[in-house]
Amino acid sequence: MAEENREHEDVNANDGTDGALVVAENVHKSFGRLEVLKGIDLEVRRGEVMCIIGPSGSGKSTFLRCVNHLEKLSAGRLWVNGELMGYRQKRGKLYELRDSEISAQRSDIGMVFQRFNLFPHLTVLGNVIEAPTQVKRVPKAEATELAMSLLERVGLPDKANTYPEQLSGGQQQRVAIARALAMEPSLMLFDEPTSALDPELVGEVLDVMRDLARAGMTMMVVTHEMGFAREVGDSLVFMDDGVVVESGVPSEVLSDPRHERTRAFLSKVL
């Protein structure tokens, strides 16, 4: 046990976070011979909303999945809350954590996907209380109270006993956000949360995300919604071909990009 503690101290002593909630250091990811991420370095500070944009296939979603170790890194390091995600470091070498330890790390990170991924056999309330009761062992009454407050927050308290198939896409995505928030995470990851929605339903999901940003939630958002990025984002990262091409204040990157590749991309989406 003492040796385990020393290993964790070694990790935390070398995380380099300095107030950042997320730190990516030279992150690489390959699928066979296909190199998707080619050395990503970035930091997300507590309370920051980072928006990540770029063309399809640029590595945005893969990087987001690396943050909570849904994808294992091929090289590099990634810390969340001062903890090295997915690994323990000892004498400069990495050793993968057990599944239970990785699950414990993920419990502090909420993720909302393009598709809603709700459990079809559970009601809205059942979906929201599932993880707190099963993973964190929160008493059902306590989890239900929290779930109802979250459904109120996303504007769906009257849908608690409804099944997902009875909801619109926008409503399902708002339930997915409530479900992620039910674990009381310190970080929320959004992987193009509006891309599967009909245009008229996009606004209701973005409104919930705006509310989270105002409340100080740390968020990483892969998005094609440039208006949202300009309005809500504290930082904007443009990725292409597995690298960060440009980053900065959203209004500056969108209005006066420094790199030709960024200008070419924005000319097609703005």
Side-chain angles (χ1 to χ4, degrees):
M1 180 64 70
E3 184 176 43
E4 274 195 11
N5 288 339
R6 284 198 298 273
E7 290 168 4
H8 283 291
E9 288 168 5
D10 182 35
V11 169
N12 291 334
N14 291 285
D15 62 14
T17 55
D18 190 29
L21 184 67
V22 180
V23 177
E25 181 183 282
N26 196 30
V27 169
H28 287 72
K29 176 62 183 178
S30 297
F31 296 97
R33 295 184 177 181
L34 177 63
E35 190 177 17
V36 178
L37 300 177
K38 303 176 181 178
I40 303 295
D41 294 288
L42 57 77
E43 294 187 2
V44 183
R45 304 191 71 81
R46 296 180 189 277
E48 179 180 345
V49 178
M50 174 180 282
C51 293
I52 305 173
I53 64 172
S56 297
S58 60
K60 309 182 301 296
S61 295
T62 298
F63 176 67
L64 213 63
R65 291 171 63 85
C66 287
V67 171
N68 65 355
H69 204 64
L70 286 176
E71 298 289 355
K72 299 178 183 180
L73 306 189
S74 300
R77 305 264 195 291
L78 216 160
W79 290 269
V80 177
N81 259 331
E83 290 191 21
L84 188 62
M85 286 299 298
Y87 299 94
R88 178 180 295 113
Q89 181 173 305
K90 184 179 180 182
R91 299 187 184 95
K93 293 185 178 181
L94 296 182
Y95 300 88
E96 190 163 11
L97 298 177
R98 296 188 296 270
D99 288 345
S100 60
E101 295 173 302
I102 294 171
S103 294
Q105 289 185 325
R106 286 196 190 119
S107 69
D108 194 41
I109 305 171
M111 187 161 187
V112 178
F113 300 87
Q114 297 177 37
R115 296 291 174 180
F116 323 121
N117 294 339
L118 299 177
F119 298 116
H121 64 289
L122 296 178
T123 64
V124 165
L125 180 60
N127 269 276
V128 178
I129 69 172
E130 178 73 5
T133 56
Q134 298 300 316
V135 178
K136 296 176 71 174
R137 303 299 179 188
V138 175
K140 186 174 181 180
E142 181 181 335
T144 298
E145 183 179 357
L146 174 60
M148 291 307 300
S149 70
L150 290 172
L151 291 175
E152 181 77 38
R153 186 174 186 178
V154 301
L156 295 170
D158 58 326
K159 300 296 185 181
N161 297 315
T162 302
Y163 286 88
E165 65 178 11
Q166 299 170 293
L167 302 177
S168 71
Q171 290 172 329
Q172 289 187 61
Q173 194 63 295
R174 285 186 280 158
V175 173
I177 294 173
R179 181 178 62 177
L181 291 173
M183 290 293 283
E184 300 182 303
S186 62
L187 171 67
M188 285 287 288
L189 308 177
F190 292 88
D191 186 8
E192 299 189 30
T194 61
S195 64
L197 300 178
D198 292 332
E200 65 268 24
L201 302 178
V202 169
E204 63 190 50
V205 174
L206 294 182
D207 284 345
V208 172
M209 295 170 66
R210 288 186 184 95
D211 177 66
L212 290 178
R214 284 192 293 266
M217 173 63 73
T218 308
M219 300 159 60
M220 299 178 70
V221 185
V222 172
T223 185
H224 293 295
E225 301 292 339
M226 300 302 163
F228 175 86
R230 184 190 298 270
E231 174 194 352
V232 180
D234 297 299
S235 60
L236 183 68
V237 171
F238 172 63
M239 287 181 61
D240 186 38
D241 195 27
V243 300
V244 173
V245 176
E246 184 165 354
S247 63
V249 177
S251 59
E252 295 177 0
V253 174
L254 294 173
S255 300
D256 188 24
R258 299 187 303 273
H259 294 267
E260 177 56 37
R261 182 66 189 94
T262 315
R263 288 193 290 270
F265 172 77
L266 291 176
S267 71
K268 298 176 181 177
V269 299
L270 291 179

